[in-house]
Amino acid sequence: MSSGCPPQSPAVAKSEVAVEGECPLLAATFAYWDNILGPRVRHIWAPKGDQLMFLSDGEVTFLANHTLNGEILRSAECGAVDVKFFVLAEKGVIIVSLIFDGELKGDKNTCALSIILPQTELAFYLPLHTICVERLKHVIRKGRIWMQKGYNIISVLSLEIVPIMELLASMKTHCVPEDIDIKDTVLNDDDIGDSCHEDFLHKAISSHLQTCGCSIVVGSNPEKVNKIVRTLCLFLTPAERKCSRLCRADSSFKYDTGLFVQGLLKDSTGSFVLPFRQVLYSPYPTTHIDVDINTVKQMPPCHEHTYNQRRYMRSELSALWKTDSEEDIPPDTVIHTDETFTPDLNVFQDVMHTDTLVKSFIDEVFMLKPGLSLRSTYLAQFLLLLHRKALTLLKYIEDETQKGKKPFRSLRNLKNDLNLTMEGDLNIIMAFAEKLRAGLHSFVFGKPFYTSMQERDVLMSF
Amino acid sequence: MIGSPDVVAFTKEDEYGQANPDPWAVPEEFSVPLHPLADSNPWAKTSYAKFTKDFILISEFSEQVGPQPLLTIPDDPKVCGTFDLNYFSLRIMSVDYQASFVGHPPGSGYPRLSFVEDSRVVLGDSKEGAFAYVHHLTLYDLEARGFVRPFCMAYVAADERKIMLQFQELSLRFSQASECLKAGNRRAFAKELQRKLQDLEYTHSVLQREEGLQREAGPQCMYSAHAVEKANELANVEKSIYEHRDLLRQISSYHRRPRRDPHAVTCQKCMTECLSECEELLDKYVKLANPFSYCEKEEDGQGQFDDEGGEEEADEEDDEGVKRRPSYTPQLIKAKSAKCFDKRLKTLQELCDETFYDATLELLKETERSFRGDLCYLHTRRLDKALRRKQRVANFLFEEDLGNDDEDEAETVRPFCAVNHAIDSCILLNPPPIVLGPEPLELDALEPPEPLDPTSETSHTQESELGLGESHLESSPSDQTLETQESSEETKGSFSSDKSGVGPSEKQQSLTSMKSEAPDPDSDLTPDPDHNTDLERESSSEEMETTAGDDEGDDGGDQTPVSLLEVVSELKASGEDECGGGNESDLLVPIDTACCMAQEGFLYEASAPETMPCLRQSSHPPPSPTPVVNQEPQALLPLQDDYTVGSPCLESPATGLELPVGHLGDAVSRTSAEDGSDCTMSASTGSDRAASPLGYGGVLTLCHRKKAGQGALRFVRQYPFAMQALWCLLSGRTLVVLGADEGRVRRLVAALALFVPAPGKCGERVQAWLSCPFTLTDLQRWKLIGLQRVASPVGSSMLYSLSRYSRYISILDADQKTLRCPPYRGQLLANVADHRTYIRRGSTYFLHIQSTLCHLAAKAFLFTFTHHLHLPVSATEGPEVVEGRRRCFLQEQLGLGEEDSQILLYLSQLITQQYLQPASGGSAAAPCFSFNYTTSVLYKI
């Protein structure tokens, strides 16, 4: 491995990060293209402790330089963050590099923020790729502002590198398995009310599906939390399950942006503090389920969520832009506001839309005898129906609008033709379709700044 | 609950989207767009790419001209449009992927070949809107710098997400292609090395001879300058020989090296063959070990060298394979230029053995085809398949057969060698109508001009990966060609029944295929075409009717199981002789003589193990003692998947799908024979046109069904009574489409066939075009019939059969645009058959139909397997109570009316039968044959 590697630059700084458990990440690096010396590594983050595979600093430097090769040709737009993904069998590693431009010492440079994992973790990492990339992309946005101001980008990047290491370590131990045994879920109960109240279960699953399968389950009893987590994960695809996390029995994980379902344990005082910013940065709206008090709350639908998210991101970047001192890196816990935007902190609302799809499914599935795979089969039929309806809806809109060239004006017809007259049903199918075609909500519901209430008025007018 | 530790104070009311320009605002390049393009058009994300669709690009980093594109798949300039392939090649090839030493390492005696693992990179050019999965590989070339030529194969798409979400599949496919290309390259490289060694040996022998002559000619004790030069030249050649021998040794040890790439795809068969053949190669290598053999042979007088050469390959003359190939003429090489050969670089095709190169291209073409299309459809298709695998018990109702999909899935997981298996795989992977036509022609071109003897063919199985004997390689395709032709002919045969001009042998072939493919229990007896007269058929049907008439007075009651549980109960009950002997002699038993006209229906039903059909009122099935099935459906799935009917113990491997008939009643046997004759008749009469995909021997593909979606949408829009027609099909009432124009009838049948429950793998329940009268048994077998209207004596007999069975069937007159069927007042189908629908395209309507039918199948599954509906709760509970509970479930739980309930009852019966057939001890359970005596109504436009 070390043969053929260039000598390590003495200027490379290294941070060792203490991560609980086994971290599959070998290292993270920040490198830039020096106009005189070529690719240079500026900083290395490495998890502390034993790892599956050891990379020397020289090897890490070599690999980090590797990611910038060829980027001399880069002709991306200013501010663009491009992703490169390497699987280098010769080295036995996978590298995810985010290439961007930034100002260093008054010069525009091409930079790369990379994470390195063993090649054996490819299957583990791939489902989590989007989560990692989206989170790193945003911290790069912040880092670029910092570089523009001539400050040290490393402190900003550390704000996300460390949590990503923790996320990967936690997923290694508490990831929801790809195949869930229905016996570990509520759907194996003899009767509908055995584990939890019928309405609660219906509302939880319905809201979970309406928020694109993105939910957090909080509670004091880890077993109870995990049973609901597994139950909700039954309605996800195998890849989405790999992006879901069970709750830890002894102490809670932190909330992690981007996971589909995560179980979180309340503290001794019976509360769990959700970070507003991180919840808002989730790619989809989230359902909040408290298994202690059987409550289900949900965030506004996709288009409104995305709009709020972008507003908040802009606000956060703006706050950073206005910062005068390198020491004043706004912590993630600060709720950013400015003159033009004040976030609505009451993001979780009651589930208002009723549906027939989940209601009838919940009613019917418990009629089938448990333990005979009958319920699994019926669940598969239900999911098949939802996926097909979503594709039909997508195709319907595609036909109506000539692939988005014309505005969509026939929501009422769609609801009648596809038997989606109940708002809850429409929301569920729209959520499935949103995952297939990002931006569909904004396109269908017109102006993205409609609040849920306004949208409800619009829908009711049909 | 929701923490907000550092909330900055509210300053003013929120005004969405009304921000004032702020001089201190963050520049857009450092911010995020509030309204990205995807919001205004979710389809626009990929529309700014300069190419029209995804393609595969093969590029090379040439040591002479740098990165250059070599070829694209598909090879159509329109696909790439104005996209700059040169620039993109530069971008993807400028990745320093190799990072390993190649060439002549310090301290090593000979040049070393570098066995570099492939690397995979996903990168993009956001400005151009192009993203690529790039698979880097290295090929060997004796004339290249360091003996290596870097290449890459890239899948170029406009959607980055599509590549990342399918990374593993792409990686697998490209790894297969890469391994194939590299295997071919190693063969070509080894061949090149061998030739080079021959050249060098020949040169060496010539030099040695010249040197010897000079030595003899000159004085004994001194050497001339010329002689010294010759000696040096000779030494150089010897050195070069050792170098090339070492290269040959290295390349032959390729397969023994440990693989560092856990995702590399290697073929076990290839590896085994390679091992055995490597021994062969090493054997040759030993023979080549003495570079001075030419000289020795000359000295021994066993070989003569002349300038023409070509006959001195005494070492290999014992190899029969080598004898046949064109002998290579060694060239004289100047020792100084041993490493500086012709500098024209070989093309990719020249670098690779032809067969392997073609196989690689074929693999890449297949890859391009399989990843074609929008991500959301590809993604949903995959999920769809995965979910359908979990619900196989009801798939047979409306879903496409999963059999081939399984193979596809297995194929993507199973590593395979393109050369050994690719051609077979192509047959499996591609739909026969598309591939099998041109395939044999293409393969014919690969056949060697001369026939090969069988011994050489048998030796092909041990063909070396490095296969220096060309004959081995050339003869391989011929074997595969034969297999391909055979298999294609077989497949053709299975499709020929629906085509015009079918010969007798083909008819027989189609019959065979019908027998083997159709799960139709009636096909257990091989039909004899000579005895298939209409008279016999008529008499048989008369006999059936007579039987039915005789049984009218029998108060057998409705013993037909309407659910799985009930059937099982009957199984047990029959074991205890609870059914009584009366039923055993009855094939068709009316319920009540007094209410013959008013009776709701009766049906044929298997009452295993006697397989005696029982009678019931279709909508009022009397209950029966029903023990619970304590057997989960999945336990029986392997049998069901194969559409196995009959007892496994009675099946022979060759006739796995045939039914055992020994213990069947005479009536059933007669029916089976008769049906077999009908098969022949319908195959011949239905062979007029190939317009419709339906009919015997034609596998219903998704493509066919999607095309039919357009027809179905047209039908729903044109005919206000479409809902009634669909109800007939879904509730099991045979629908006859009558018309004079065959094309129109076939199109209508193809459209309506989408709604036929359990149409069979090959659409056995649908007869697209029938030009002769049908019988009662036909109605049992076919649920949708296209019938020719003719003005002739035959036509009058057809009309007679129509009027005769009009009580049992629905008639859609395509010419008059009328429908005669019982009235339907339900709501279940209102959504799928609304003629005012705003659905614009047939493909969209097809998706809508799929959803609706999936929903129906789920409800039928629920009804079938909900235990308490079919079981008495207590011993005192009578069958009427259980029946009442069923009705209550249908009406109150599922909210279905009378007619809608009939749909679920019928579907439930089909599921029950499908579920029980493998477990019923080989009973030839006939499909449900129910009639409804409700008065028919004539619907007009």
Side-chain angles (χ1 to χ4, degrees):
Chain A
M1 188 72 188
S2 58
S3 66
C5 293
Q8 183 195 352
S9 166
V12 178
K14 185 173 179 181
S15 309
E16 287 205 325
V17 182
V19 181
E20 201 175 336
E22 176 199 322
C23 181
L25 200 73
L26 296 173
T29 62
F30 173 68
Y32 66 98
W33 188 285
D34 188 291
N35 288 338
I36 298 169
L37 299 170
R40 303 278 291 171
V41 176
R42 177 84 170 271
H43 197 90
I44 299 173
W45 293 264
K48 199 183 279 181
D50 294 336
Q51 291 177 11
L52 291 172
M53 178 180 170
F54 177 75
L55 285 182
S56 69
D57 288 352
E59 288 164 339
V60 172
T61 306
F62 170 80
L63 292 173
N65 288 339
H66 190 99
T67 62
L68 276 171
N69 285 338
E71 290 306 326
I72 193 102
L73 300 165
R74 190 166 189 264
S75 64
E77 286 176 2
C78 187
V81 181
D82 294 330
V83 183
K84 281 163 79 175
F85 181 72
F86 300 83
V87 179
L88 302 177
E90 276 297 314
K91 305 290 181 191
V93 296
I94 52 180
I95 309 175
V96 185
S97 283
L98 289 93
I99 314 292
F100 58 97
D101 58 340
E103 203 162 298
L104 278 170
K105 300 171 190 170
D107 285 337
K108 273 254 162 136
N109 294 86
T110 301
C111 308
L113 176 64
S114 308
I115 56 174
I116 306 170
L117 298 100
Q119 194 184 354
T120 49
E121 299 293 344
L122 182 66
F124 164 78
Y125 171 75
L126 275 175
L128 298 164
H129 176 74
T130 310
I131 297 176
C132 294
V133 163
E134 287 307 312
R135 285 169 60 162
L136 290 174
K137 267 186 180 176
H138 187 64
V139 82
I140 284 172
R141 288 187 198 110
K142 291 161 75 174
R144 287 184 71 245
I145 292 177
W146 227 232
M147 290 170 84
Q148 185 71 17
K149 288 176 171 287
Y151 302 154
N152 185 6
I153 188 177
I154 304 303
S155 55
V156 177
L157 297 180
S158 296
L159 291 174
E160 200 63 69
I161 294 288
V162 177
I164 281 184
M165 284 186 179
E166 291 170 346
L167 166 71
L168 294 177
S170 71
M171 292 302 287
K172 208 65 189 153
T173 54
H174 285 76
C175 179
V176 173
E178 188 178 338
D179 293 314
I180 299 172
D181 192 343
I182 203 169
K183 288 175 182 161
D184 300 329
T185 70
V186 175
L187 293 192
N188 196 52
D189 290 353
D190 282 341
D191 209 349
I192 192 168
D194 287 359
S195 288
C196 54
H197 193 265
E198 178 182 348
D199 282 345
F200 169 69
L201 184 63
H202 166 224
K203 203 176 269 187
I205 295 174
S206 177
S207 179
H208 171 66
L209 294 178
Q210 288 180 39
T211 54
C212 305
C214 191
S215 297
I216 45 178
V217 185
V218 296
S220 304
N221 182 348
E223 287 178 8
K224 201 172 175 183
V225 168
N226 284 341
K227 194 167 187 180
I228 295 293
V229 168
R230 288 195 194 92
T231 305
L232 296 179
C233 283
L234 283 177
F235 298 86
L236 300 181
T237 65
E240 290 168 348
R241 286 174 195 165
K242 287 182 182 173
C243 293
S244 302
R245 191 174 62 193
L246 295 166
C247 127
R248 190 163 53 184
D250 44 0
S251 62
S252 182
F253 290 119
K254 288 178 191 166
Y255 172 85
D256 263 303
T257 302
L259 294 180
F260 275 94
V261 183
Q262 47 189 318
L264 300 167
L265 204 62
K266 288 181 181 175
D267 59 18
S268 55
T269 64
S271 65
F272 184 88
V273 178
L274 274 176
F276 175 81
R277 173 184 173 275
Q278 275 84 339
V279 174
L280 200 61
Y281 279 12
S282 171
Y284 299 114
T286 304
T287 292
H288 180 279
I289 299 166
D290 191 323
V291 295
D292 289 346
I293 52 175
N294 286 355
T295 57
V296 180
K297 305 266 183 185
Q298 66 177 192
M299 290 174 81
C302 287
H303 56 298
E304 195 179 331
H305 170 74
T306 313
Y307 182 75
N308 289 339
Q309 184 187 83
R310 292 203 191 109
R311 297 268 301 172
Y312 190 86
M313 278 182 177
R314 290 170 69 91
S315 176
E316 186 184 32
L317 294 172
S318 179
L320 209 60
W321 182 258
K322 289 171 185 170
T323 304
D324 292 329
S325 165
E326 190 173 359
E327 307 303 318
D328 296 342
I329 304 175
D332 289 345
T333 48
V334 171
I335 308 296
H336 298 284
T337 66
D338 58 27
E339 294 79 6
T340 60
F341 171 65
T342 304
D344 181 5
L345 296 178
N346 191 23
V347 285
F348 286 104
Q349 303 161 358
D350 288 334
V351 183
M352 299 297 292
H353 306 304
T354 53
D355 73 281
T356 59
L357 289 168
V358 177
K359 179 83 174 75
S360 57
F361 171 73
I362 295 292
D363 286 346
E364 290 159 5
V365 76
F366 283 97
M367 293 178 181
L368 295 166
K369 200 170 182 180
L372 294 177
S373 301
L374 294 171
R375 292 184 181 180
S376 297
T377 306
Y378 197 57
L379 174 69
Q381 286 175 327
F382 176 64
L383 293 175
L384 186 63
L385 175 70
L386 296 185
H387 283 292
R388 284 184 174 176
K389 274 186 173 286
L391 195 64
T392 311
L393 176 137
L394 204 54
K395 187 76 171 49
Y396 188 100
I397 297 171
E398 196 176 302
D399 295 346
E400 283 290 319
T401 63
Q402 295 175 6
K403 289 198 172 182
K405 292 190 182 78
K406 287 161 59 181
F408 183 65
R409 301 184 193 281
S410 47
L411 186 62
R412 184 169 50 181
N413 293 341
L414 178 144
K415 288 159 76 175
N416 288 331
D417 286 339
L418 304 186
N419 199 15
L420 296 172
T421 47
M422 293 294 286
E423 285 174 39
D425 292 343
L426 179 67
N427 287 353
I428 290 170
I429 302 304
M430 278 293 291
F432 271 77
E434 176 77 30
K435 286 197 276 189
L436 292 173
R437 181 76 65 191
L440 191 72
H441 271 83
S442 302
F443 180 71
V444 169
F445 294 118
K447 295 178 181 176
F449 49 82
Y450 270 148
T451 63
S452 298
M453 202 60 81
Q454 285 171 307
E455 180 200 320
R456 202 172 305 143
D457 295 341
V458 171
L459 289 173
M460 287 174 72
S461 67
F462 284 105
Chain B
M1 179 59 61
I2 303 158
S4 51
D6 289 306
V7 180
V8 178
F10 287 80
T11 52
K12 59 184 283 187
E13 283 297 312
D14 185 21
E15 292 174 3
Y16 280 106
Q18 301 298 318
N20 295 320
D22 180 0
W24 299 104
V26 58
E28 278 303 309
E29 63 182 82
F30 290 97
S31 188
V32 288
L34 194 58
H35 302 293
L37 186 62
D39 278 2
S40 56
N41 184 359
W43 287 268
K45 194 177 174 184
T46 58
S47 64
Y48 59 96
K50 290 176 181 170
F51 46 90
T52 53
K53 62 177 184 178
D54 301 355
F55 62 95
I56 291 173
L57 169 68
I58 300 182
S59 296
E60 178 200 6
F61 201 123
S62 164
E63 64 188 56
Q64 291 175 338
V65 296
Q68 58 173 349
L70 297 180
L71 60 94
T72 61
I73 297 170
D75 187 17
D76 181 4
K78 286 180 188 170
V79 172
C80 303
T82 58
F83 186 65
D84 190 345
L85 290 178
N86 280 307
Y87 173 77
F88 199 70
S89 295
L90 182 64
R91 172 121 179 94
I92 59 179
M93 289 303 287
S94 60
V95 176
D96 180 17
Y97 67 92
Q98 197 165 280
S100 291
F101 180 82
V102 290
H104 198 140
S108 168
Y110 304 121
R112 303 289 303 170
L113 285 180
S114 177
F115 296 148
V116 185
E117 295 287 358
D118 296 353
S119 63
R120 305 158 181 88
V121 184
V122 177
L123 50 78
D125 192 328
S126 55
K127 202 172 184 180
E128 295 283 323
F131 300 89
Y133 165 88
V134 191
H135 196 103
H136 291 277
L137 68 149
T138 305
L139 300 184
Y140 300 109
D141 182 358
L142 202 51
E143 296 158 15
R145 191 184 300 160
F147 307 117
V148 288
R149 299 273 300 271
F151 287 89
C152 80
M153 302 181 289
Y155 185 87
V156 187
D159 187 357
E160 186 179 18
R161 196 163 160 254
K162 179 177 179 178
I163 291 174
M164 278 316 295
L165 281 181
Q166 302 182 102
F167 179 85
Q168 283 181 304
E169 291 85 353
L170 278 168
S171 170
L172 182 72
R173 295 238 180 199
F174 277 88
S175 294
Q176 287 171 348
S178 169
E179 288 299 324
C180 182
L181 197 62
K182 287 192 293 186
N185 171 250
R186 286 195 299 274
R187 295 179 87 131
F189 185 69
K191 203 181 294 176
E192 190 186 3
L193 270 174
Q194 199 180 35
R195 286 179 179 177
K196 187 56 66 185
L197 277 167
Q198 287 172 10
D199 287 349
L200 288 168
E201 285 174 8
Y202 173 64
T203 307
H204 182 271
S205 64
V206 170
L207 287 174
Q208 207 171 34
R209 191 169 48 185
E210 287 177 0
E211 192 206 21
L213 288 173
Q214 282 184 356
R215 202 167 38 201
E216 287 171 9
Q220 290 290 325
C221 57
M222 57 184 297
Y223 295 98
S224 67
H226 189 64
V228 170
E229 190 183 336
K230 282 287 171 197
N232 285 340
E233 232 176 287
L234 195 61
N236 280 337
V237 171
E238 282 178 20
K239 182 171 180 282
S240 190
I241 287 172
Y242 283 116
E243 283 179 357
H244 284 83
R245 277 174 49 202
D246 191 66
L247 286 175
L248 186 59
R249 184 188 57 76
Q250 288 179 50
I251 198 72
S252 62
S253 68
Y254 177 90
H255 66 281
R256 290 207 190 95
R257 81 210 159 93
R259 294 303 298 259
R260 286 175 295 247
D261 184 3
H263 300 104
V265 181
T266 50
C267 173
Q268 201 56 44
K269 189 178 172 188
C270 247
M271 291 297 282
T272 315
E273 286 181 0
C274 190
L275 269 173
S276 62
E277 289 171 9
C278 225
E279 289 169 7
E280 187 186 338
L281 181 71
L282 287 173
D283 199 32
K284 286 180 183 173
Y285 170 70
V286 168
K287 290 177 187 174
L288 289 169
N290 183 357
F292 318 114
S293 56
Y294 285 87
C295 215
E296 287 168 5
K297 285 171 200 163
E298 190 181 27
E299 286 170 5
D300 295 345
Q302 292 175 355
Q304 294 293 322
F305 299 104
D306 53 22
D307 285 341
E308 284 76 30
E311 296 174 8
E312 66 277 14
E313 293 179 59
D315 282 343
E316 298 180 17
E317 280 182 1
D318 54 341
D319 186 340
E320 286 186 15
V322 180
K323 270 183 185 173
R324 270 193 303 279
R325 72 187 162 105
S327 57
Y328 174 68
T329 307
Q331 307 291 315
L332 189 68
I333 298 170
K334 288 186 178 176
K336 284 178 183 172
S337 63
K339 284 187 179 178
C340 308
F341 306 136
D342 183 10
K343 287 307 286 183
R344 186 192 75 85
L345 291 175
K346 293 187 186 69
T347 64
L348 179 61
Q349 201 163 356
E350 289 167 340
L351 279 175
C352 185
D353 188 282
E354 189 183 352
T355 311
F356 284 81
Y357 178 78
D358 293 341
T360 305
L361 287 191
E362 207 48 52
L363 268 176
L364 291 176
K365 282 175 189 170
E366 174 56 32
T367 302
E368 189 272 327
R369 276 194 295 268
S370 62
F371 286 94
R372 199 179 284 174
D374 196 294
L375 174 65
C376 65
Y377 295 104
L378 291 173
H379 184 63
T380 310
R381 194 170 66 194
R382 194 167 300 154
L383 289 173
D384 201 284
K385 277 183 193 172
L387 289 169
R388 275 188 289 147
R389 276 192 200 97
K390 292 182 180 173
Q391 47 147 44
R392 286 176 187 264
V393 73
N395 274 345
F396 75 101
L397 282 178
F398 300 110
E399 302 297 339
E400 194 187 9
D401 181 34
L402 270 171
N404 290 335
D405 294 340
D406 282 345
E407 284 166 16
D408 279 356
E409 192 67 20
E411 188 271 329
T412 54
V413 175
R414 170 175 60 96
F416 73 95
C417 167
V419 173
N420 284 334
H421 309 134
I423 297 172
D424 292 340
S425 299
C426 282
I427 295 165
L428 292 171
L429 288 170
N430 299 317
I434 300 168
V435 171
L436 289 178
E439 190 77 7
L441 293 175
E442 288 172 7
L443 293 167
D444 283 340
L446 293 171
E447 280 192 27
E450 293 175 9
L452 298 165
D453 60 62
T455 51
S456 68
E457 285 189 4
T458 53
S459 69
H460 299 158
T461 54
Q462 295 174 359
E463 179 187 356
S464 168
E465 189 208 4
L466 294 173
L468 298 175
E470 281 182 48
S471 63
H472 287 199
L473 194 59
E474 287 170 1
S475 59
S476 295
S478 67
D479 293 346
Q480 289 162 343
T481 307
L482 285 172
E483 289 172 14
T484 312
Q485 282 174 337
E486 281 175 16
S487 61
S488 67
E489 280 169 13
E490 282 171 14
T491 319
K492 275 180 191 168
S494 67
F495 276 80
S496 63
S497 63
D498 218 20
K499 294 175 182 173
S500 56
V502 182
S505 61
E506 288 176 12
K507 282 181 188 173
Q508 191 60 41
Q509 209 167 15
S510 69
L511 269 175
T512 312
S513 68
M514 279 191 297
K515 258 182 66 182
S516 61
E517 289 176 13
D520 191 346
D522 301 331
S523 63
D524 56 338
L525 293 177
T526 307
D528 184 356
D530 297 336
H531 295 89
N532 294 333
T533 61
D534 287 349
L535 186 64
E536 277 192 19
R537 290 172 62 252
E538 194 65 28
S539 65
S540 295
S541 61
E542 287 289 343
E543 197 175 299
M544 297 278 283
E545 284 229 317
T546 309
T547 311
D550 289 343
D551 292 332
E552 277 185 358
D554 194 330
D555 191 14
D558 186 359
Q559 297 295 325
T560 305
V562 292
S563 74
L564 161 70
L565 304 170
E566 194 174 337
V567 171
V568 173
S569 73
E570 288 189 2
L571 288 176
K572 292 197 175 179
S574 63
E576 296 165 11
D577 292 326
E578 284 181 10
C579 268
N583 278 350
E584 289 181 9
S585 61
D586 299 337
L587 187 63
L588 199 63
V589 188
I591 295 171
D592 186 358
T593 321
C595 61
C596 182
M597 293 305 292
Q599 73 184 44
E600 290 296 317
F602 56 91
L603 54 85
Y604 287 101
E605 183 67 36
S607 174
E610 293 83 3
T611 69
M612 287 297 105
C614 301
L615 177 77
R616 71 162 182 86
Q617 285 182 304
S618 61
S619 56
H620 301 288
S624 59
T626 50
V628 181
V629 177
N630 288 321
Q631 186 180 21
E632 59 182 307
Q634 277 68 15
L636 296 169
L637 288 181
L639 290 171
Q640 290 173 339
D641 294 344
D642 297 329
Y643 285 80
T644 307
V645 285
S647 169
C649 63
L650 294 172
E651 291 169 4
S652 66
T655 57
L657 295 175
E658 290 186 359
L659 285 170
V661 295
H663 62 285
L664 297 179
D666 288 345
V668 176
S669 299
R670 277 199 302 275
T671 309
S672 302
E674 189 181 39
D675 288 346
S677 69
D678 285 345
C679 283
T680 312
M681 179 275 298
S682 60
S684 57
T685 53
S687 63
D688 299 336
R689 299 269 174 91
S692 167
L694 298 166
Y696 280 102
V699 177
L700 285 172
T701 65
L702 191 65
C703 182
H704 290 141
R705 291 160 66 94
K706 280 186 176 174
K707 277 183 185 171
Q710 181 64 45
L713 180 60
R714 199 179 297 125
F715 175 74
V716 164
R717 284 210 173 122
Q718 285 181 355
Y719 296 84
F721 47 77
M723 202 187 312
Q724 281 75 14
L726 302 192
W727 172 72
C728 292
L729 291 170
L730 287 167
S731 58
R733 187 181 174 95
T734 301
L735 179 67
V736 176
V737 181
L738 183 65
D741 180 6
E742 182 179 351
R744 185 196 287 175
V745 171
R746 279 183 177 271
R747 279 194 295 274
L748 266 176
V749 169
L752 290 167
L754 293 175
F755 299 92
V756 176
K761 273 185 180 176
C762 307
E764 296 91 337
R765 296 268 169 259
V766 179
Q767 178 55 44
W769 183 245
L770 192 66
S771 48
C772 60
F774 57 84
T775 66
L776 197 61
T777 49
D778 291 335
L779 299 184
Q780 185 189 14
R781 192 149 44 93
W782 294 324
K783 290 298 171 189
L784 178 61
I785 302 171
L787 190 64
Q788 185 183 17
R789 170 182 271 134
V790 285
S792 67
V794 181
S796 63
S797 69
M798 281 168 50
L799 289 177
Y800 172 72
S801 67
L802 268 183
S803 62
R804 180 175 185 180
Y805 303 124
S806 62
R807 289 186 302 174
Y808 317 132
I809 59 175
S810 302
I811 303 165
L812 174 66
D813 193 323
D815 301 328
Q816 309 290 332
K817 295 197 183 327
T818 61
L819 173 71
R820 181 179 290 279
C821 71
Y824 169 69
R825 293 172 295 271
Q827 290 298 312
L828 200 56
L829 304 176
N831 195 251
V832 78
D834 182 4
H835 68 278
R836 293 165 300 182
T837 181
Y838 286 91
I839 294 175
R840 290 167 184 263
R841 290 173 178 270
S843 52
T844 311
Y845 184 65
F846 173 75
L847 291 172
H848 183 45
I849 294 171
Q850 265 197 323
S851 302
T852 308
L853 297 180
C854 171
H855 184 62
L856 286 178
K859 297 293 175 196
F861 174 86
L862 175 76
F863 178 72
T864 308
F865 290 100
T866 301
H867 285 61
H868 74 269
L869 292 180
H870 312 289
L871 297 173
V873 174
S874 64
T876 56
E877 201 172 64
E880 298 80 13
V881 181
V882 177
E883 172 56 21
R885 195 154 56 233
R886 281 197 204 116
R887 296 189 145 277
C888 179
F889 178 83
L890 289 169
Q891 287 172 5
E892 293 181 12
Q893 176 67 37
L894 301 181
L896 303 177
E898 187 68 28
E899 286 95 6
D900 287 338
S901 296
Q902 285 179 30
I903 295 176
L904 277 213
L905 283 168
Y906 177 64
L907 297 182
S908 176
Q909 285 160 16
L910 291 176
I911 292 176
T912 307
Q913 280 182 324
Q914 176 73 12
Y915 179 77
L916 283 180
Q917 272 175 0
S920 60
S923 65
C928 290
F929 190 36
S930 75
F931 297 116
N932 196 327
Y933 284 89
T934 311
T935 311
S936 289
V937 178
L938 185 68
Y939 292 92
K940 294 179 180 174
I941 289 185

